[in-house]
């Protein structure tokens, strides 16, 4: 009987600590960076090419425009990602776009929201691509789960950007269109 009391006390303490972590750390932020051996315009075009998205974003299945004009401020799309055999739908909203320089988006789903900024800085024909992510759980349980995922999410973004770097560095496709600024 004494063992059961200690076990219940330990479980209660762990539960309190779990939810306390979500209250103390309701969101996580992390940055990732790669440098490619291509100019910013080419890096941007390769990244933006819808055919390339499944090649560098883990689990990417499809994107469907919901409202607005694709790739412009205010555009809303549903992004389908497959993870562990299950499909998840995230709603992507473009907040700011400056072709060849930056793309600022918000991703929303039931469990969490993510603010995502990707920037392109060119110097001497090379481009540094930097992503900044801030993720917040929706609800106390989700905040608590998210508070433990910083390393996992940062590692996944490192993998995605490494794939993007390889895709850009190995690119041979000619992109003749010049994007317009918004």
């Amino acid at each position: 009987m004494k063992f059961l009391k200690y076990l219940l006390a330990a479980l209660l303490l762990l539960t309190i600590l779990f939810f306390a972590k979500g209250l103390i750390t309701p969101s996580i932020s992390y940055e990732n960076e790669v440098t490619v051996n291509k100019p910013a315009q080419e890096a941007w075009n390769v990244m933006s090419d819808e055919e390339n998205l499944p090649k560098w974003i883990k689990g990417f299945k499809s994107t469907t425009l919901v409202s607005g004009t694709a790739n412009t401020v205010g555009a809303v799309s549903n992004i389908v990602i497959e993870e562990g055999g299950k499909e998840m739908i995230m709603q992507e909203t473009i907040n700011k776009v400056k072709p060849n320089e930056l793309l600022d988006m918000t991703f929303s789903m039931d469990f969490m929201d993510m603010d995502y900024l990707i920037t392109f800085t060119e110097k001497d024909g090379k481009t540094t691509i930097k992503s900044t992510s801030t993720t917040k759980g929706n609800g106390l349980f989700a905040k608590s789960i998210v508070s433990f995922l910083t390393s996992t999410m940062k590692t996944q973004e490192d993998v995605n950007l490494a794939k993007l770097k390889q895709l850009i560095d190995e690119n041979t496709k000619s992109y003749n269109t010049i994007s317009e600024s918004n």
Side-chain angles (χ1 to χ4, degrees):
M1 193 65 154
K2 204 174 198 182
F3 172 76
L4 187 57
K5 286 181 186 179
Y6 286 129
L7 179 62
L8 289 175
L11 288 175
L12 180 61
L13 179 62
L14 288 174
T15 301
I16 290 169
L17 291 173
F18 173 78
F19 286 113
K21 180 128 168 66
L23 289 170
I24 294 167
T25 312
S27 66
I28 59 171
S29 297
Y30 50 94
E31 294 180 347
N32 305 71
E33 185 176 297
V34 293
T35 300
V36 297
N37 296 312
K38 300 283 184 151
Q41 183 175 359
E42 184 175 352
W44 177 272
N45 287 335
V46 171
M47 185 239 5
S48 301
D49 186 340
E50 201 170 306
E51 290 178 17
N52 288 334
L53 297 177
K55 297 174 185 174
W56 70 274
I57 300 173
K58 182 183 178 191
F60 180 90
K61 290 295 177 192
S62 65
T63 180
T64 305
L65 184 66
V66 174
S67 66
T69 303
N71 303 316
T72 64
V73 172
V76 176
S77 299
N78 283 338
I79 310 295
V80 178
I81 301 287
E82 184 179 313
E83 188 171 310
K86 293 185 177 184
E87 289 188 350
M88 299 183 303
I89 298 175
M90 298 184 294
Q91 189 171 74
E92 170 198 84
T93 303
I94 298 177
N95 303 316
K96 188 173 185 180
V97 60
K98 287 186 179 180
N100 310 327
E101 292 180 32
L102 70 86
L103 180 60
D104 181 7
M105 303 173 286
T106 301
F107 294 94
S108 298
M109 57 171 61
D110 292 337
F111 189 74
M112 66 184 189
D113 295 328
M114 175 190 287
D115 293 323
Y116 184 82
L117 172 68
I118 190 164
T119 60
F120 295 72
T121 307
E122 183 178 343
K123 183 176 180 183
D124 300 326
K126 294 183 178 187
T127 303
T128 299
I129 302 170
K130 179 179 177 181
S131 70
T132 305
S133 305
T134 301
T135 305
K136 182 179 99 177
N138 295 325
L140 183 56
F141 180 75
K143 287 177 184 178
S144 297
I145 292 287
V146 167
S147 71
F148 286 97
L149 295 178
T150 305
S151 177
T152 302
M153 294 178 86
K154 181 172 180 15
T155 299
Q156 184 56 59
E157 184 65 2
D158 282 336
V159 169
N160 287 347
L161 286 184
K163 287 181 181 178
L164 178 60
K165 174 183 172 36
Q166 182 178 3
L167 197 59
I168 292 168
D169 283 340
E170 295 175 356
N171 179 57
T172 58
K173 183 176 179 179
S174 176
Y175 293 91
N176 293 324
T177 59
I178 297 176
S179 303
E180 294 179 24
S181 296
N182 289 331

